[in-house]
Amino acid sequence: MQIEAVELRTVSLQLKSPFRTSFGTEHVKDALLIRVAADDCEGWGECVASAEPLYSSEYLAGAMDVMRSFLLPILFASGDVAAADVGRLLAPVKGHRMAKAAVEMAVLDAELRRSGTSLARRLGGVVDRVPSGVSVGIMDSVPELLDAVGDYLDQGYVRIKLKIQPGWDVDAVRAVRERFGDIPLQVDANAAYRLSDARQLCRLDAFELLLVEQPLAEEDLRQHAELAKLMTTPVCLDESIVSASAAADAISLGACRVINIKAGRVGGYLEAVRIHDLAVASGVAVWCGGMVETGLGRAANIALASLPGFTLPGDVSGSDRFFAEDLTEPVVMRGGYVDVPTGPGIGATPLDAAMKRMTTAKSTVSRHD
Ligand code: OSB
Ligand code: MG
């Protein structure tokens, strides 16, 4: 397709409750959305960069700038563009994978809407619903945590992930195990530990967790491999896996037995599928991560999670896990599952009224600007 115009839009969604991780506390979700328009189709992308560069080096205003200054001019100059070409066309620009992923997602959505194909079908999905896990933030107290976990279990979530950090780890996990027994349980440290904390991390081995996610820093592949030798709990990587190449390195180093795949972090849904394929071929389990996406990114993540290698429940919760109101029809979790969208493209579209209310800024870049 020949892209004629691109709309960049920031939206702000109120969170139902603050979401606290080892790197900060979010009260609102600020997202960057991109809409590409060609003469016979349009498509939506969502950029997972946060307002501040605390999870990774990318951040929302930076993503918007790199799109406007570098990524979109390349697409406009490229004439007829297919989604499968976007990664290669944007490769001369180093890094900025979250921005690139959003651009590719929008082109992919447009292409699939035009052909009437769902994203799940295009990526190779094999199921029509996927099990739904929930990520539970750090709380002020253990009783508060137990209330939150109890509520999610009552709603039907099939797997609980606890955010941890030094000072909020073994006691929190023990309390959840004692209250709720043998539930599928895992933890996510968002790089809050160092290899010298190995003794404390090994204390988690007593609780038969499914995995410990990203205990050490993004760059510390070798140190994750050292830690993995010391722990019986499987080490899972999130932040460290920025590409299929990084995944191949991590696997061959023995740095992880499990990978959290987030399309935004790795430069797009097509690279996400390559990591899935590589992991399956290597006997590494994968699951679909989340970045508190709106209904757009949430729908696309569920499509990705329908591929056969996603053998562990993902952070693919219902919209109401985070938002009282989403900007699309909400993703609904029922009986522990969310349905894989079947409509053309990502299978979700913004609702005009909600979108209008939630928009904080909007601009358009055209081929002829
Ligand atoms: O590390 O998985 C993470 C949310 C924002 C940034 C990083 C992470 C998260 C989550 C997933 O834990 C939350 C979700 O979208 O369900
Ligand atoms: Mg994580």
Side-chain angles (χ1 to χ4, degrees), residues 19 21 23 26 29 48 50 55 133-136 159 161 163 188-190 213-214 238-239 260 262 265 287 289-293 298 301 314-317 321-322:
F19 184 57
T21 64
F23 58 84
E26 297 286 354
K29 167 69 187 186
V48 301
S50 316
Y55 163 82
V134 62
S135 175
V136 184
R159 184 227 69 195
K161 162 169 137 180
K163 290 290 190 180
D188 184 2
N190 287 113
E213 182 178 348
Q214 196 72 39
D238 172 353
E239 284 89 330
N260 164 335
K262 291 177 182 168
R265 192 192 64 226
W287 56 281
M291 290 290 285
V292 193
E293 285 89 348
R298 200 164 286 276
N301 286 347
D315 284 341
V316 285
S317 40
R321 152 70 183 92
F322 290 110

